[in-house]
Amino acid sequence: MPVFQTKIDPSSEDFARNRQDMLGLVEQLRSYEARAAMLSEKRKPRFQQRGQLTPRERLAQLLDPGMPFQAIYNMANFQVDDPNPDTSVPGANVIVGIGFVGGVRCMVFVDDSGISAGAATGTTVDVMTGSMKIALRQKLPFVHLVESAGANLLEYTVELWAHGGGMFRNLALLSAAGIPTFVILHGPSTAGGAYQPGMSDYVIGIKKNGMAALAGAALVKAATGEVADPEQLGGSEMHASVTGLVEYLAEDDAHGISILRDIITRLDINSQISAQPDRVFEPPVHSPDELAGVVPVNYREPYDVREVVTRVVDGSDFAEFKPRFGPATICMQARIMGHAVGLIGNNGPIDPAGANKASHFFQLCDQAEMPIIFLNNTTGYMVGTEYEQAGMIKHGSKMIQAVSNVRVPKITLYIGASFGAGNYGMAGYAYEPDFLFAWPNATTGVMGGEQAAGTMIEVARAGAARRGQELDESALAEQHAAIVELFDRQSTSFYTSGRCLDHGIIDPRDTRKVLGFALQTIWEGRNKTLHPNAFGVARH
């Protein structure tokens, strides 16, 4: 097959402008992430007074040195509790990702107790349940470093409590599936949080600082009048010797982490994974670093998605499927770090032929047990009389039917626009891809603000014409501006990622590494033999 010839000139003005714009967004992303780290580290003297490591120090000691760690939900809660982007702190008071502990790929969840004592934010439960779903699907041991003040009672919502039960249900499902769950009690874990250790398979308690109780001393006094000693109420020493909630008692944070690493090593979890094939592959001919200049940050400016693919896949080598049929929908076969994959991308809206081609392609990938990677940059399905009469609804539905039912892994990247039902056909959030990441320039929603505002003005004009009324043009202009602001404000990747509508925002230049990591994680999960129980492990 003919080799794709790039038309990108890294020395061109367009490339330089795109790169400057994209790296500006990446810098914005890093500055938001740094807010959480800096705010948490301000409490370091307090941690030192208690003889503790900070949350980020705990994470660093837990993970294998030099091994990759893929952060997820890095923008969770951004502009949720605090809608001001200049002051909002992302992360939902937790640090979450997939990394290696004793050579074992694990889902790691760290309470960031340097911020508001690790109290739950408006989206912390979403992050916890989302990360548990990934762990269950990919068969990843779940490691939780606990130190949290729990929910902020001054900002209580019944939804947070109701949804919170899913965290404990998921712990039960993980254990029953044969996926071990681990907790280190670094500090308090009270009320519902007490079920984090209660529902976990292995619990390590830190002397003096670790604590688990259904009600802290203040609530016990308020509820019963009892003046309880915190250590006797729920201290790690008490649980290790009286209740049996704690299996391993550690002298301090570092000792507790060392115990956990030792336990995971002794379980020999990697023996459950089939023998790894020898994956030999070449890097792309065109550097992934060029991705920052390939794609304009404004989704209205067109680009060829194959320019992205040639900087991601092994050897920049891919075969295009049905290139002359529905040519705006690009379907390809390639390899990424030795993994055979199907890729679908957009060079414009999806027309009936493109939807038909995609449906055919998805079924072929499913037949070949080939993961599908969705590179979203579409304003949706084509509209208008010509396309309606060509069966756009029918053919678009066929594509959505296929993407809903394929059995192979799905990895979605928002790399530009992802609007309307086009998002559905391209395995958006509601279609539960195995992993869903966004570039910082990504824009998602039911439609763009200009389209929404234009639609409402047309409706208003038609209604006025039927009634024989004159319209107030200044009021229409105000309405137009308000609708544009309403839609566009909610469509940015930072806003949607803050609401956990993806698994995090990544630097476009890291796309190949992230996809390779995700594909290997999925491969291991699908080639791991578990020993499930009828119930999760119950402690005695």
Side-chain angles (χ1 to χ4, degrees), residues 260-280:
L260 189 147
R261 288 179 54 84
D262 182 65
I263 295 168
I264 290 180
T265 301
R266 291 177 186 277
L267 292 177
D268 197 20
I269 294 169
N270 285 343
S271 66
Q272 299 173 326
I273 304 173
S274 303
Q276 296 269 8
D278 185 18
R279 300 191 192 279
V280 179

Side-chain angles (χ1 to χ4, degrees), residues 143-268:
V143 178
H144 188 181
L145 308 189
V146 172
E147 183 172 34
S148 173
N152 184 344
L153 297 183
L154 297 176
E155 298 178 3
Y156 164 79
T157 65
V158 70
E159 298 97 322
L160 186 65
W161 161 78
H163 293 159
M167 299 187 296
F168 314 126
R169 176 178 182 269
N170 286 344
L171 282 170
L173 294 177
L174 285 163
S175 181
I179 302 169
T181 58
F182 306 85
V183 155
I184 300 180
L185 271 176
H186 291 281
S189 183
T190 56
Y195 289 102
Q196 294 294 347
M199 300 292 297
S200 295
D201 298 335
Y202 299 88
V203 178
I204 301 161
I206 309 301
K207 287 183 178 179
K208 298 181 181 178
N209 291 319
M211 189 266 193
L214 294 177
L219 180 55
V220 167
K221 184 176 181 181
T224 69
E226 177 189 354
V227 178
D229 173 78
E231 290 289 336
Q232 292 302 309
L233 184 67
S236 290
E237 293 94 325
M238 183 278 290
H239 282 304
S241 58
V242 177
T243 71
L245 180 68
V246 168
E247 280 78 51
Y248 308 92
L249 191 61
E251 296 296 326
D252 54 26
D253 287 348
H255 185 212
I257 291 168
S258 176
I259 292 172
L260 189 147
R261 288 179 54 84
D262 182 65
I263 295 168
I264 290 180
T265 301
R266 291 177 186 277
L267 292 177
D268 197 20

